[in-house]
């Protein structure tokens, strides 16, 4: 799972104990929180006989802000931010706190030009985070294109590579970086990697209690405390949240804890960190637009609930073996449990005579069987609208370790940084699913009957599932950065990934399978400092994604399954390979009114053998398939102005995502062929659910030393509905959102604050798809059939919040 490669530039690094993060105005122009280290920059190689531990004052030290080149927790393997041959994107604890949210997605959407958040699940605490058209999502079956790490540990879940953002304790986050052009981050880093570093007692001292409440029954509170005692440190953070949601049945409960115990000397540092979370969500999902016209908080087929539980322990260590060699490693264990309850329409129906006392599945002649294999006698009234409650349970235990060495000896008289490392991750998952038949009421609530479906359909496409999946991911990586001149640095390296996936059907043999995938992914890049205030960069890299156990267990077009639930068979899939090139400029300029920072860049990523979830005419059913080549390309630009009293930011991102090969897909689109139910995708058609344009603006102004006001705006362009890969239907409209916030520092300890989200109460949707309009009657319109197949995720209306923060 997480392996690292790195090429770093030109410096001999010596980390000074106790140095904290600082607000750094980097060459990218972002007011970013990046780790600061002191580096030795000698003009010549040190002479033989020099003491290994020269006095600090005798060294020629300069302060450098570093950017991660591998998912480790220390700055020693990072790269001088001026030498990063890729776009620089970082978000610090202050920028996260600015949002007043316990959801990390809010800060990422504000501060990173290429990131947009969509609400596929219908719950704001389980967002899809999309960067350059690649997604990290909690939704099973979503093609995952981003690798995510928390304190050096990969948190893409073992079974489906999903990312549960709700499990990351927001108050305890020290910084988040979005890293591109770097295969060192291992599998899934097709579009890049999100690297989350957590606080500890060495970089956070003191205590804080923060409580906020407001619209839709929101009440949230967080507390954190950190302390250093000589060479030891301790840190802890606790968070709790309850939100009733603006939609029916969309309540959220979040409970999270994170802790860290550390030990540090002049030449070593060790940390033991641990965390637990227990979260429950009403995930209301998409709703037909015809229902939204009557009530913005409407839902369609419930219950839709999710329960996430996690516990983890991570041990990290770093030793400076010599003045130029640093060894670091980590070991972790993580236990994760995910349960869903999902009310849906059903393909079960009364059989045709002479078997009209029985139930059939998918047609009126194939019997619907119970778990005992016997056809089910119809227990429902003749006028009942049938539905089913699908339940899934996923239990995963993952373990892993990494070992990495970094060297900063000069090479041929030039500064050089070399890194080599290895990682191994193993995951064991037990997955189960069941389907209970029931009836759908006029409020779209599915009421269970106690009758459960066994293997049913021709071919069998539903029934109980019990699967054991084992993933083993190994990686070897190396990276080097060499200073050709003081202004010009080149970086190169690569990573070899090996993935082994074993599936064991616990009921029959249909899901059994063994799959292996391997690949070497190279990278090369360079930076040139045109002037002290202007840097150019360019780079090329490759990355791969192995098919997940979930995808492999549902990849047979002849035997489709309910995506993410009822797995049927185990045909092979190819791994996805992405090739990315990017280039740009970044710079800073000191002005009379403050520091101006800016960056502009372009990228192109081409995927080979991309994997998509392919629907079939039966609503909710589908399979996974390689669909050939896709391409995501675009530009990103950002400008920041920072002074003592004013902070401004503005960014623009264009993401153009297209299919490069022809496809024929099943769809519920109104433009689907009425006979075959398919659409024709042509080369050049845009990929749905990826808005082309994103504009972001924000400011913070200190009216007085105590009173501050600020606001932000988001403009997102239109996007095609999922299911309209042929680009024939009208697009989901774009939207704009405006938010305001203010704070007043009462005294050294207490601060009151408030915010208004969506101040103009705009009604918009962030995600859209099509549904089978004939499955369930439109009860809100007298029980007639729906006439509009569009189904969307409505965004939250205007909301007011106020809070009190105490800092000690």
């Amino acid at each position: 799972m997480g392996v690292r490669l790195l090429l770093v530039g030109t410096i001999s690094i010596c980390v000074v104990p106790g140095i904290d993060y600082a607000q750094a105005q980097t060459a990218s122009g972002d007011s970013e929180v990046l780790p600061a280290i002191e580096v030795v920059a000698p003009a010549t190689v040190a002479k033989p006989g020099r003491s290994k531990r020269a006095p600090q004052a005798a060294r020629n030290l300069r302060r450098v802000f570093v950017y991660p080149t591998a998912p480790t927790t220390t700055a020693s393997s990072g790269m001088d931010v001026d030498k990063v041959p890729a776009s620089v994107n970082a978000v610090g604890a202050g920028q996260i706190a600015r949002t007043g949210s316990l959801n990390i997605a809010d800060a990422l959407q504000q501060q990173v030009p290429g990131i947009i958040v969509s609400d596929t699940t219908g719950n704001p605490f389980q967002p899809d985070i999309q960067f350059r058209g690649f997604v990290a999502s909690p939704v099973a079956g979503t093609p995952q294109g981003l690798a995510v790490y928390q304190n050096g540990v990969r948190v893409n879940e073992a079974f489906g590579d999903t990312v549960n953002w709700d499990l990351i304790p927001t108050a305890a986050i020290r910084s988040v970086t979005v890293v591109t052009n770097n295969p060192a981050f291992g599998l899934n880093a097709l579009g890049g990697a999100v690297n989350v570093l957590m606080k500890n007692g060495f970089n956070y001292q003191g205590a804080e209690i923060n409580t906020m409440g407001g619209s839709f029954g929101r009440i949230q509170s967080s507390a954190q405390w950190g302390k250093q005692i000589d060479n030891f440190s301790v840190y802890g953070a606790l968070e709790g949240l309850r939100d009733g949601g603006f939609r029916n049945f969309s309540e959220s409960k979040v409970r999270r804890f994170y802790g860290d115990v550390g030990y540090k000397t002049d030449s070593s540092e060790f940390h033991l960190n641990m965390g637990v979370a227990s979260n429950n969500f009403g995930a209301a999902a998409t709703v037909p637009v015809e229902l939204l016209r009557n009530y913005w908080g409407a839902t369609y087929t419930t219950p839709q609930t999710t329960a996430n539980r996690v516990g983890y322990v991570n041990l990290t260590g770093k030793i400076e073996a010599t003045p130029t060699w640093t060894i670091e490693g980590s070991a972790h264990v993580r236990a994760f449990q995910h349960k869903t309850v999902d009310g849906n329409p059903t393909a079960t129906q009364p059989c045709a005579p002479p078997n009209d006392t029985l139930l059939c599945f998918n047609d009126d002649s194939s019997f619907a069987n119970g778990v005992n294999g016997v056809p089910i006698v119809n227990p429902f009234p003749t006028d009942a609208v049938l539905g089913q409650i699908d339940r899934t349970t996923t239990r995963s235990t993952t373990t892993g370790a990494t070992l990495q060495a970094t060297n900063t000896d000069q090479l041929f008289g030039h500064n050089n940084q070399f890194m080599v490392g290895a990682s191994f991750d193993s995951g064991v998952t037990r997955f189960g699913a069941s389907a209970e038949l029931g009836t759908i009421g006029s409020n779209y609530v599915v009421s269970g009957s106690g009758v459960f479906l066994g293997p049913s359909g021709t071919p069998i496409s539903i029934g109980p599932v019990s699967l054991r999946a084992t993933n083993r991911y190994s990686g070897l990586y190396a990276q080097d950065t060499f200073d050709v001149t003081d202004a010009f640095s080149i970086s190169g390296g690569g990573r070899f990934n090996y993935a082994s996936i074993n599936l064991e059907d616990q009921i029959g043999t249909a899901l059994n399978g063994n799959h292996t995938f391997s690949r070497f992914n190279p990278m090369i890049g360079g930076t040139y400092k045109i002037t002290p205030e202007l840097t150019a960069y360019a780079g090329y890299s490759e990355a791969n994604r192995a098919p997940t156990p979930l995808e492999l267990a549902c990849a047979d077009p002849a035997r489709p399954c309910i995506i993410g639930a009822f797995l049927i068979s185990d045909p092979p899939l190819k791994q996805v390979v992405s090739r990315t090139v990017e280039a740009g400029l970044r710079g800073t300029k000191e002005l009379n009114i403050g520091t101006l920072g800016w960056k502009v860049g372009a990228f192109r990523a081409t995927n080979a053998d991309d994997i998509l979830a392919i629907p079939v005419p039966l609503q909710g059913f589908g399979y996974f398939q390689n669909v050939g080549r896709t391409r995501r390309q675009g530009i990103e630009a950002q400008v920041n102005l920072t002074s003592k009293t004013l902070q401004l930011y503005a960014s623009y991102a264009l993401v153009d995502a297209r299919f490069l090969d022809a496809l024929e897909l099943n769809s519920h689109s109104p433009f689907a062929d009425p006979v075959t139910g398919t659409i024709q995708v042509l080369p050049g058609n845009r990929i749905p659910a990826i808005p082309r344009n994103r504009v972001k603006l924000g400011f913070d102004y200190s009216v007085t030393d105590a009173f501050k006001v600020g606001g932000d705006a988001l403009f997102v362009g239109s996007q095609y509905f999922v299911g309209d890969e042929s680009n024939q239907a009208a697009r989901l409209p774009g939207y704009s959102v405006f938010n305001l916030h203010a704070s007043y520092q009462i005294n050294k300890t207490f601060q009151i604050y408030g915010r208004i989200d969506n101040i103009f109460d705009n009604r918009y949707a962030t995600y859209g798809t099509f549904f089978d309009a004939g499955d369930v009657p439109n009860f809100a319109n007298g029980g007639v059939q729906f006439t509009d197949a569009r189904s969307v995720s409505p965004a939250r209306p205007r909301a007011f919040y106020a809070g009190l923060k105490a800092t000690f």
Side-chain angles (χ1 to χ4, degrees):
M1 293 168 67
V3 180
R4 298 99 201 195
L5 246 172
L6 123 67
L7 275 147
V8 184
T10 78
I11 47 182
S12 299
I13 295 181
C14 176
V15 177
V16 177
I19 290 181
D20 192 10
Y21 280 74
Q23 289 291 338
Q25 193 68 30
T26 69
S28 70
D30 297 320
S31 180
E32 296 165 324
V33 177
L34 290 174
I37 61 173
E38 303 285 0
V39 300
V40 183
T44 59
V45 179
K47 295 180 180 180
R50 177 181 174 180
S51 170
K52 292 184 178 181
R53 297 290 174 190
Q56 185 83 5
R59 301 185 183 187
N60 178 24
L61 295 178
R62 64 187 179 95
R63 193 169 176 84
V64 168
F65 297 95
V66 298
Y67 200 69
T69 51
T72 59
T73 60
T74 66
S76 58
S77 60
M79 179 187 297
D80 182 344
V81 70
D82 284 336
K83 304 177 190 299
V84 176
S87 177
V88 171
N89 300 287
V91 179
Q95 292 163 319
I96 296 171
R98 177 184 183 272
T99 66
S101 172
L102 293 185
N103 187 347
I104 182 58
D106 294 332
L108 290 174
Q109 178 166 249
Q110 282 186 5
Q111 302 295 331
V112 180
I115 282 184
I116 200 72
V117 172
S118 63
D119 193 7
T120 306
T121 66
N123 190 291
F125 299 98
Q126 290 193 298
D128 283 10
I129 290 183
Q130 185 189 110
F131 175 67
R132 295 182 175 179
F134 294 91
V135 178
S137 169
V139 179
T142 301
Q144 309 286 340
L146 297 174
V148 181
Y149 289 84
Q150 179 186 335
N151 259 15
V153 176
R154 174 183 160 104
V155 294
N156 295 79
E157 303 298 346
F159 189 58
D161 282 340
T162 54
V163 179
N164 292 285
W165 299 99
D166 62 282
L167 299 178
I168 301 177
T170 306
I173 294 175
R174 188 182 187 187
S175 70
V176 183
T177 48
V178 183
V179 182
T180 63
N181 196 40
N182 192 340
F185 286 82
L187 294 172
N188 276 87
L190 303 178
V194 179
N195 190 43
V196 182
L197 293 182
M198 311 301 287
K199 298 173 184 175
N200 59 60
F202 292 124
N203 55 54
Y204 181 92
Q205 286 97 41
E208 178 186 278
I209 300 174
N210 191 346
T211 299
M212 186 186 81
S215 298
F216 311 113
R218 167 77 66 88
I219 181 69
Q220 66 182 50
S221 186
S222 65
Q224 57 180 325
W225 175 79
K227 187 175 181 63
Q228 179 176 352
I229 307 172
D230 298 325
N231 290 349
F232 293 89
S233 74
V234 62
Y235 173 82
L238 185 66
E239 296 176 326
L241 175 145
R242 181 192 177 278
D243 190 308
F246 75 97
R247 297 178 65 188
N248 296 334
F249 315 111
S250 61
E251 183 180 26
S252 301
K253 293 181 180 178
V254 175
R255 293 145 292 191
R256 301 185 291 223
F257 168 79
Y258 177 83
D260 180 279
V261 178
Y263 174 79
K264 180 193 286 189
T265 68
D266 287 347
S267 59
S268 64
E269 185 172 350
F270 300 90
H271 288 271
L272 178 68
N273 50 73
M274 69 293 292
V276 294
S278 176
N279 303 334
N280 296 83
F281 304 105
T286 63
V287 61
V289 295
E290 291 180 70
L291 295 181
L292 287 180
R293 294 186 187 120
N294 296 324
Y295 174 48
W296 193 248
T299 55
Y300 179 71
T301 63
T302 59
Q304 305 243 1
T305 63
T306 298
N308 287 334
R309 307 287 185 269
V310 74
Y312 52 87
V313 177
N314 184 28
L315 176 66
T316 65
K318 181 205 70 173
I319 298 175
E320 294 178 27
T322 73
T324 59
W325 276 102
T326 300
I327 310 297
E328 54 190 309
S330 67
H332 72 271
V333 59
R334 188 173 191 267
F336 169 68
Q337 178 180 281
H338 175 74
K339 291 184 176 182
T340 66
V341 179
D342 188 4
N344 287 305
T346 183
T348 305
Q349 62 188 56
C351 296
N355 299 309
D356 49 347
T357 60
L358 303 177
L359 291 177
C360 285
F361 188 83
N362 198 28
D363 55 43
D364 59 7
S365 60
S366 300
F367 294 138
N369 299 315
V371 292
N372 57 2
V374 176
I376 299 173
V377 176
N378 186 358
F380 303 108
T382 56
D383 60 348
V385 178
L386 301 188
Q388 68 186 49
I389 300 176
D390 302 317
R391 296 179 175 87
T392 68
T393 301
T394 306
R395 293 184 175 90
S396 298
T397 301
T398 56
T399 57
T402 63
L403 184 64
Q404 178 179 302
T406 304
N407 177 259
T408 56
D409 282 315
Q410 289 197 333
L411 183 63
F412 306 118
H414 293 255
N415 288 332
N416 187 76
Q417 181 165 322
F418 171 74
M419 179 192 71
V420 62
S423 72
F424 174 78
D425 292 274
S426 176
V428 177
T429 300
R430 295 186 179 275
F431 175 84
S434 66
E436 179 186 7
L437 293 177
T439 57
I440 302 177
S442 59
N443 59 353
Y444 295 99
V445 174
V446 183
S447 301
S449 66
V451 177
F452 286 81
L453 280 171
S456 303
T458 305
I460 292 174
S461 52
I462 198 168
V465 175
S466 181
L467 174 69
R468 185 180 189 272
T470 303
N471 323 49
R472 291 187 175 89
Y473 300 150
S474 304
L476 297 173
Y477 56 94
Q479 189 169 322
D480 188 84
T481 295
F482 178 76
D483 282 3
V484 181
T485 69
D486 290 341
F488 179 41
S489 300
I490 58 173
S491 300
R495 170 175 172 138
F496 177 77
N497 290 321
Y498 180 83
S500 173
I501 301 171
N502 180 53
L503 304 179
E504 301 174 55
D505 195 330
Q506 305 296 290
I507 295 177
T509 60
L511 296 177
N512 289 346
N514 285 284
H515 307 266
T516 59
F517 305 90
S518 61
R519 195 174 196 279
F520 177 77
N521 296 314
M523 71 82 65
I524 189 169
T527 61
Y528 183 72
K529 207 166 186 62
I530 301 171
T531 72
E533 298 175 332
L534 176 62
T535 299
Y537 68 87
Y540 170 83
S541 64
E542 298 181 7
N544 71 303
R545 175 174 88 83
T548 67
L550 170 62
E551 292 168 336
L552 290 167
C554 182
D556 187 349
R559 306 183 71 189
C561 54
I562 294 182
I563 299 297
F566 297 102
L567 311 181
I568 298 300
S569 61
D570 178 48
L573 290 170
K574 299 177 182 178
Q575 63 183 340
V576 184
V577 176
S578 181
R579 296 171 174 86
T580 301
V581 60
E582 63 177 295
L585 299 167
R586 53 181 177 249
T588 60
K589 182 70 174 179
E590 292 296 331
L591 305 175
N592 292 334
I593 58 174
T595 301
L596 177 70
W598 61 273
K599 62 184 177 184
V600 61
F603 65 92
R604 171 179 281 192
T606 302
N607 286 7
D609 297 316
D610 217 346
I611 297 175
L612 291 182
I614 309 299
V616 298
L618 184 60
Q619 177 71 35
F621 282 71
Y623 59 93
F624 295 95
Q625 176 180 296
N626 294 109
V627 295
R629 298 172 301 144
T630 61
R631 184 181 64 208
R632 296 156 179 84
Q633 62 184 358
I635 59 174
E636 297 167 336
Q638 187 173 34
V639 62
N640 301 270
L641 179 64
T642 303
S643 70
K644 291 183 178 179
T645 60
L646 178 66
Q647 292 82 42
L648 297 172
Y649 72 86
S651 69
Y652 169 74
L654 181 149
V655 179
D656 183 76
R658 298 183 183 271
F659 294 99
L660 298 183
D661 294 317
L663 295 168
E664 182 178 8
L665 302 176
N666 289 289
S667 175
H668 292 290
S669 165
F671 293 90
D673 186 293
V675 177
T676 64
T678 61
I679 56 175
Q680 300 294 326
V681 182
L682 302 177
N685 283 151
R686 282 176 53 185
I687 301 174
I690 302 178
R692 183 179 173 87
N693 298 291
R694 309 107 189 264
V695 178
K696 305 172 185 181
L697 306 168
F699 79 96
D700 286 283
Y701 178 66
S702 298
V703 180
T704 68
D705 289 343
F707 180 44
K708 298 179 181 180
V709 297
D712 52 84
L714 173 66
F715 305 87
V716 178
S718 62
Q719 57 186 288
Y720 285 100
F721 282 77
V722 173
D724 187 29
E725 286 78 5
S726 58
N727 297 175
Q728 294 173 278
R731 303 175 194 174
L732 181 69
Y735 56 90
S736 58
V737 188
F738 300 86
N739 309 311
L740 291 175
H741 60 265
S743 66
Y744 182 76
Q745 194 72 37
I746 301 172
N747 54 36
K748 184 179 179 180
T749 301
F750 293 102
Q751 178 191 94
I752 57 174
Y753 62 90
R755 82 173 202 254
I756 307 174
D757 291 347
N758 192 5
I759 59 176
F760 297 118
D761 201 23
N762 291 338
R763 301 301 170 98
Y764 63 94
T766 60
Y767 175 84
T769 185
F770 296 114
F771 77 111
D772 188 339
D775 266 349
V776 180
N778 184 349
F779 294 116
N781 191 27
V784 300
Q785 182 173 314
F786 285 98
T787 58
D788 192 330
R790 295 176 299 164
S791 185
V792 302
S793 292
R796 179 170 290 214
R798 181 169 48 226
F800 301 85
Y801 303 99
L804 173 67
K805 180 167 66 175
T807 305
F808 307 96

